Amino acid sequence: MMSEQYEYFAEVPQGYTVDRPDGLWRRRGDAWEYLSLLDWQWHDVTATNVQTPPAPEVLHAVSEEHAAALAADRQGWVQYWAHYSSRRAWDDGRAPTTVVRRRRSPENIRDESFNSESEWGPTMAAFNAFDGRSSTSPHLVELTTGEAEQLLQEIFGVTGATEL
């Protein structure tokens, strides 16, 4: 008896593309799994808090090779920002205080900032910056992975901090 192959899907809601999707899914029969963008493992949706795949209209079939390439590009799933204490600090030309990153995965969104112990730790900076209800929220300026790496070298004297 031949085993059933997986079908692979890129999760592509508005604002995303098949080459830069919001998530990566696979299905064998009626069993769905997603690639965790936090631990880089495939997880059965029924064994997690996710429970179901996204709506069919945002799932786009991709080849196994395309799915493998997307999964291998870990940095493609991460957003980085330079963190300024406020919009005024940024307007005044003050230097950023750290780097903030966001890793979105079907099971959780993880926002982290790089700290003085040379570690990534939980932060509310991204939430506060984009929430808009606070007048004292930090200001974030989007960075590429390379720019984030360079800024971390300048502020903390470390290299390789953006590696996943």
Side-chain angles (χ1 to χ4, degrees):
M1 185 165 152
M2 191 174 215
S3 71
E4 197 175 348
Q5 296 292 322
Y6 284 107
E7 296 175 87
Y8 291 87
F9 300 87
E11 181 181 350
V12 187
Q14 187 173 358
Y16 291 85
T17 68
V18 172
D19 290 325
R20 284 289 177 232
D22 191 36
L24 193 57
W25 296 79
R26 68 184 184 186
R27 175 179 68 191
R28 183 174 9 208
D30 292 332
W32 283 91
E33 297 178 346
Y34 65 87
L35 178 66
S36 171
L37 306 171
L38 304 178
D39 70 8
W40 308 106
Q41 303 292 315
W42 288 97
H43 294 273
D44 181 337
V45 296
T46 61
T48 68
N49 66 336
V50 177
Q51 300 297 306
T52 61
E57 58 269 12
V58 300
L59 291 176
H60 295 268
V62 296
S63 68
E64 183 176 359
E65 293 78 18
H66 190 172
L70 289 169
D73 179 17
R74 292 183 178 188
Q75 288 298 339
W77 303 99
V78 182
Q79 292 176 278
Y80 291 96
W81 296 278
H83 177 277
Y84 296 85
S85 59
S86 66
R87 173 67 189 235
R88 183 179 186 110
W90 182 72
D91 286 341
D92 290 346
R94 287 185 249 166
T97 59
T98 191
V99 172
V100 172
R101 72 180 180 191
R102 172 171 280 176
R103 296 191 293 156
R104 297 175 58 92
S105 189
E107 75 274 28
N108 197 7
I109 296 174
R110 186 171 294 161
D111 290 338
E112 301 166 306
S113 63
F114 201 77
N115 58 42
S116 58
E117 289 89 38
S118 296
E119 297 175 342
W120 291 99
T123 186
M124 292 295 293
F127 175 82
N128 291 337
F130 301 123
D131 182 47
R133 289 183 281 181
S134 173
S135 61
T136 60
S137 60
H139 182 67
L140 302 179
V141 175
E142 193 160 2
L143 302 170
T144 65
T145 303
E147 291 168 334
E149 184 70 29
Q150 182 178 350
L151 186 55
L152 289 167
Q153 168 66 31
E154 291 170 14
I155 296 173
F156 296 102
V158 299
T159 57
T162 59
E163 293 177 19
L164 296 169

